[in-house]
Amino acid sequence: MTKDEIKGFLVGYSAKIAEELYGLYTKHSTLVGFSVRKGTAKRVLKTGIVKEKYYLCYFEGKRREDKPKTPKCNVEISNKKKSKQQAITRVGCKAMIRVKKNKEGLFEVVQHVMHHNHSLTRLPWQHFHR
């Protein structure tokens, strides 16, 4: 496949195992300028065989907001540890592919969302992606 084909819309591509399509999506993400992570997998209940997988943009989802901790007693502790500040890496990006097993037993890309709600990495820094 050429770079232009990989950069484009991936719906319709199929492979024997889902990991091949994950490799294709990581190549696509490198050319476009974002990182990929594995999402959920749906399995057949009786056999446990994977029937559907999601591969997501690294910025998918939202940061978990911790509940405020209330002390169990009224005694104040003076040597509290400061929490480490973490960069915001989850901004609710919806870019992803959905891979589903078809009737022939092959995994096929059935959905590809290409829109990102964050800036993409420029070419000189793309080698930093995971």
Side-chain angles (χ1 to χ4, degrees):
M1 272 198 292
T2 65
K3 284 185 178 183
D4 292 331
E5 289 174 337
I6 293 173
K7 257 184 151 178
F9 202 55
L10 299 178
V11 171
Y13 284 98
S14 59
K16 285 187 178 183
I17 58 173
E19 292 299 317
E20 291 179 25
L21 295 173
Y22 175 69
L24 177 69
Y25 195 47
T26 54
K27 287 179 186 175
H28 168 83
S29 70
T30 303
L31 293 172
V32 174
F34 65 98
S35 291
V36 176
R37 65 184 175 89
K38 294 179 182 180
T40 57
K42 295 184 180 178
R43 299 176 182 272
V44 179
L45 284 176
K46 292 183 179 180
T47 60
I49 297 172
V50 175
K51 64 178 181 179
E52 188 173 355
K53 282 193 128 186
Y54 290 86
Y55 299 114
L56 315 164
C57 174
Y58 199 75
F59 287 92
E60 188 273 336
K62 293 282 185 184
R63 175 184 265 188
R64 179 179 51 197
E65 293 193 25
D66 294 329
K67 295 178 184 176
K69 295 179 182 177
T70 56
K72 291 184 179 180
C73 59
N74 293 334
V75 178
E76 210 172 295
I77 301 171
S78 61
N79 55 356
K80 290 182 181 179
K81 291 184 179 179
K82 290 186 180 180
S83 61
K84 181 180 171 185
Q85 288 193 353
Q86 193 75 18
I88 295 175
T89 57
R90 302 283 176 94
V91 293
C93 182
K94 299 293 182 194
M96 58 88 149
I97 64 169
R98 189 175 100 199
V99 175
K100 198 171 187 178
K101 203 170 211 178
N102 61 17
K103 292 178 182 176
E104 292 85 36
L106 298 174
F107 284 95
E108 183 180 2
V109 179
V110 293
Q111 184 181 9
H112 184 191
V113 179
M114 295 180 71
H115 178 72
H116 295 269
N117 66 349
H118 55 89
S119 59
L120 299 173
T121 309
R122 291 184 281 168
L123 188 62
W125 293 296
Q126 287 181 357
H127 65 279
F128 290 117
H129 290 295
R130 295 180 184 202

